[in-house]
Amino acid sequence: MYNYPESLQSVIELLKKIPGIGFKSAQRIAFHLLKMPTQEVEKLGESISSLKTKLFFCSRCNNITDEEICPICNSSVREKEKLCIVEQPYNLYSIEKTGIYKGNYFVLLGSLSPLKGIGPDDLHLDKLDILIKENGVKEIIIATNPNVEGEATSMFLKNYLSKYPEVKITKLSVGLPIGSDIDYTDEITLLKAFEKRYEM
Amino acid sequence: MYNYPESLQSVIELLKKIPGIGFKSAQRIAFHLLKMPTQEVEKLGESISSLKTKLFFCSRCNNITDEEICPICNSSVREKEKLCIVEQPYNLYSIEKTGIYKGNYFVLLGSLSPLKGIGPDDLHLDKLDILIKENGVKEIIIATNPNVEGEATSMFLKNYLSKYPEVKITKLSVGLPIGSDIDYTDEITLLKAFEKRYEM
């Protein structure tokens, strides 16, 4: 069978390993790279090569960072008595973009998933305990994803954190997304929106 | 506002320049790269960097290749009197995967598009003329995409190639895709399937 030249095939094969990128997308990306200015393509290649050597997980909260302690943990203006627990660094980033939250974070780097073999031992709970004590945390906001694994993780955390009776445990609300249409909302979200309805 | 570490942000920004990759996808890819083994990520980075320097368009047919003349043009077993015209090297690759065609190809590297400023001068017709003459072509199969630009290109080519009256010009059939359902077929395809119906 006819194959692409080796260097092109190799880029396609490597891109295909990324979840959500199939052969067709990998091919499209590779051909687009061929059309891009040489300088930019080389810059992308170098940035990707250096990604793993330049970045670490924050030693306190597991956020992704290029220093030992991330800028959020290092900041003197954040409200240290608030701690928001997220699954991944990009969840943290999404919350930061809203600008509504000024406390600290803890990143679990995963969620409980028996299928993927992720159990409580993989959620870095020892680091979480240290952070709660050191920061004198008064409120923990659980911001796991509103899916099966996130919900399981959230229930697990609620139990785990019951050893801190003085700490208030809260959770992000669920309901109709703003700008959506009830007709197009899935049943479970609509059900939750009813369950969690509030007095106006 | 909080931003990702610079090396991560840079990969995300560069990935976002690829059509079809938005911020969220770029972020997902970048975080996946962080999880991949260092060796593989470095290999991908190096492969991308070297992509532009190692690959060329075949001097005869415009296929993508790492030699001056691509393996298809160089092959002694292909049926040189057949020439299939495609828009892009990946169209050629898709046809090769079927194994049905054993002739040569010519890659236009585009299709007529007044909106994108692509006119007949951009379709490398001088190279096409040379190939037709040198290979003694007897049949040209037009395999442009079944969309507005591809159809315009196909009509243009039919006229342009009328200067070779001895050459048979054919075109890929259009109709219902195999495995599809008439209910889910768009109107234009269904209309074409009626127009092009054949006797059983």
Side-chain angles (χ1 to χ4, degrees), chain A residues 1-11 14-15 17-21 23-24 27-38 40-55 57 63-66 70-72 78 88-94 96-97, chain B residues 1-11 14-15 17-21 23-24 27-38 40-55 57 63-66 70-72 78 88-94 96-97:
Chain A
M1 205 193 96
Y2 174 72
N3 267 322
Y4 283 127
E6 202 244 319
S7 52
L8 185 60
Q9 192 70 33
S10 142
V11 169
L14 287 163
L15 287 171
K17 295 192 178 174
I18 298 169
I21 298 191
F23 177 77
K24 295 267 172 182
Q27 186 176 256
R28 192 167 42 83
I29 294 173
F31 272 94
H32 180 77
L33 292 171
L34 279 172
K35 279 193 228 159
M36 269 164 67
T38 307
E40 265 187 28
V41 176
E42 280 173 2
K43 198 177 154 209
L44 176 63
E46 284 159 22
S47 303
I48 287 177
S49 296
S50 68
L51 210 48
K52 295 277 286 189
T53 47
K54 276 196 191 155
L55 294 175
F57 293 117
N63 184 15
I64 200 91
T65 173
D66 47 12
C70 80
I72 295 180
R78 311 277 314 196
Q88 297 290 353
Y90 42 84
N91 300 140
L92 178 163
Y93 188 73
S94 299
E96 278 301 291
K97 279 204 286 190
Chain B
M1 205 193 98
Y2 173 72
N3 267 321
Y4 282 128
E6 202 244 318
S7 52
L8 185 60
Q9 193 69 33
S10 142
V11 169
L14 287 162
L15 287 171
K17 295 192 178 174
I18 298 170
I21 298 193
F23 176 76
K24 295 267 172 181
Q27 186 177 255
R28 193 167 41 84
I29 294 173
F31 272 94
H32 181 76
L33 291 172
L34 279 172
K35 279 192 229 160
M36 270 164 65
T38 308
E40 265 187 28
V41 175
E42 279 174 2
K43 199 179 154 204
L44 175 64
E46 283 159 24
S47 303
I48 287 176
S49 297
S50 69
L51 210 49
K52 295 278 286 191
T53 47
K54 276 198 191 154
L55 294 175
F57 293 117
N63 184 15
I64 200 89
T65 173
D66 49 9
C70 80
I72 295 180
R78 310 279 311 198
Q88 297 291 354
Y90 42 83
N91 301 140
L92 176 162
Y93 188 72
S94 298
E96 278 299 293
K97 278 205 285 189

Side-chain angles (χ1 to χ4, degrees), chain A:
Chain A
M1 205 193 96
Y2 174 72
N3 267 322
Y4 283 127
E6 202 244 319
S7 52
L8 185 60
Q9 192 70 33
S10 142
V11 169
I12 294 175
E13 292 299 329
L14 287 163
L15 287 171
K16 259 173 61 186
K17 295 192 178 174
I18 298 169
I21 298 191
F23 177 77
K24 295 267 172 182
S25 304
Q27 186 176 256
R28 192 167 42 83
I29 294 173
F31 272 94
H32 180 77
L33 292 171
L34 279 172
K35 279 193 228 159
M36 269 164 67
T38 307
Q39 218 190 335
E40 265 187 28
V41 176
E42 280 173 2
K43 198 177 154 209
L44 176 63
E46 284 159 22
S47 303
I48 287 177
S49 296
S50 68
L51 210 48
K52 295 277 286 189
T53 47
K54 276 196 191 155
L55 294 175
F56 322 89
F57 293 117
C58 170
S59 65
R60 305 200 71 195
C61 77
N62 285 335
N63 184 15
I64 200 91
T65 173
D66 47 12
E67 287 151 290
E68 206 216 319
I69 295 176
C70 80
I72 295 180
C73 282
N74 240 338
S75 163
S76 57
V77 297
R78 311 277 314 196
E79 303 167 11
K80 289 207 180 298
E81 69 280 9
K82 282 188 186 160
L83 187 70
C84 178
I85 303 183
V86 295
E87 293 179 19
Q88 297 290 353
Y90 42 84
N91 300 140
L92 178 163
Y93 188 73
S94 299
I95 296 172
E96 278 301 291
K97 279 204 286 190
T98 68
I100 201 183
Y101 178 69
K102 296 292 175 211
N104 280 69
Y105 291 92
F106 183 76
V107 184
L108 299 167
L109 297 177
S111 53
L112 293 181
S113 171
L115 278 175
K116 291 182 195 155
I118 303 175
D121 290 350
D122 302 306
L123 301 181
H124 308 275
L125 299 171
D126 44 344
K127 282 172 86 172
L128 174 60
D129 283 319
I130 293 170
L131 201 58
I132 292 172
K133 282 169 201 159
E134 283 193 359
N135 282 7
V137 168
K138 288 183 185 139
E139 180 182 356
I140 292 176
I141 301 157
I142 298 178
T144 52
N145 288 317
N147 55 30
V148 176
E149 293 166 2
E151 284 300 305
T153 309
S154 144
M155 287 308 298
F156 166 79
L157 286 173
K158 193 194 156 205
N159 286 328
Y160 182 80
L161 297 169
S162 63
K163 63 181 173 182
Y164 303 108
E166 73 287 5
V167 178
K168 190 165 123 188
I169 314 285
T170 60
K171 196 180 156 184
L172 296 190
S173 78
V174 290
L176 302 177
I178 304 299
S180 68
D181 192 308
I182 289 179
D183 280 10
Y184 291 105
T185 304
D186 67 286
E187 278 173 44
I188 296 169
T189 303
L190 200 51
L191 199 121
K192 286 280 177 192
F194 263 91
E195 269 179 26
K196 306 277 181 195
R197 70 191 180 276
Y198 58 96
E199 218 172 312
M200 290 180 65

Side-chain angles (χ1 to χ4, degrees), chain B residues 55-75:
Chain B
L55 294 175
F56 321 91
F57 293 117
C58 170
S59 65
R60 306 198 70 194
C61 78
N62 285 334
N63 184 15
I64 200 89
T65 173
D66 49 9
E67 288 151 289
E68 207 217 320
I69 296 177
C70 80
I72 295 180
C73 282
N74 240 339
S75 162

Side-chain angles (χ1 to χ4, degrees), chain B residues 41 56 104 128 140:
Chain B
V41 175
F56 321 91
N104 279 70
L128 174 59
I140 293 177

Side-chain angles (χ1 to χ4, degrees), chain B residues 4 8 10-11 25 29 39 42 54 59 64-65 72 106 119 122-123 127 153-154 168 177 181-182 194-195:
Chain B
Y4 282 128
L8 185 60
S10 142
V11 169
S25 303
I29 294 173
Q39 216 191 338
E42 279 174 2
K54 276 198 191 154
S59 65
I64 200 89
T65 173
I72 295 180
F106 183 76
D122 301 305
L123 301 181
K127 281 171 87 172
T153 309
S154 143
K168 189 165 126 189
D181 190 311
I182 289 180
F194 263 91
E195 268 178 28

